[in-house]
Amino acid sequence: MKTLTHPGRADLRIESVLDAMANPTRLRIIERLADGEELTCSTTLPDVSPSTASRHWNVLREAGVLRARREGRIILHSLRREDLDERFPGLLDSVLAAVRNAPSAHPADADRS
């Protein structure tokens, strides 16, 4: 099985985090994880193909936005809120507020990029 690697808190880069967040589908993932629970790929993005969903999860994990851990054959994802808040104070709350206040937070064609 592939090892799930994550950047350390000190290695989080604002440009990587912002780039990872610059996609409507990935913003949807972040919004779903914001309540603090762990979610799986299929329960969070049931309307997205497995390969596309996997790409979105990997982009977020590699940027340090979320943490992934294996439990058997399942990968559980959680938001790295504490790390993001420590490294970039207010960023996550601002992004979540913008997503939740957007006229259409979940466009149907969100899977581009």
Side-chain angles (χ1 to χ4, degrees):
M1 277 188 200
K2 181 182 172 187
T3 302
L4 300 170
T5 59
H6 306 84
R9 180 185 290 179
D11 297 322
L12 297 180
R13 298 177 49 106
I14 189 68
E15 59 272 20
S16 297
V17 170
L18 290 174
D19 188 49
M21 292 181 175
N23 176 281
T25 298
R26 293 193 286 268
L27 285 173
R28 194 165 102 200
I29 292 169
I30 292 165
E31 183 181 22
R32 290 281 315 273
L33 292 172
D35 293 331
E37 64 182 303
E38 291 181 306
L39 299 172
T40 64
C41 296
S42 60
T43 58
T44 307
L45 298 173
D47 56 331
V48 177
S49 74
S51 61
T52 300
S54 179
R55 177 69 187 135
H56 287 303
W57 290 105
N58 285 333
V59 167
L60 289 167
R61 180 181 49 79
E62 290 168 1
V65 175
L66 60 81
R67 180 160 314 283
R69 69 176 183 88
R70 289 189 192 279
E71 190 168 288
R73 294 186 58 190
I74 296 172
I75 298 176
L76 294 167
H77 304 274
S78 59
L79 192 61
R80 291 180 63 181
R81 179 178 280 281
E82 187 177 310
D83 291 334
L84 291 167
D85 287 347
E86 176 71 26
R87 191 82 167 94
F88 312 112
L91 174 66
L92 189 55
D93 288 333
S94 295
V95 168
L96 288 168
V99 168
R100 291 173 177 158
N101 292 326
S104 177
H106 309 295
D109 61 347
D111 295 321
R112 289 185 257 178
S113 74

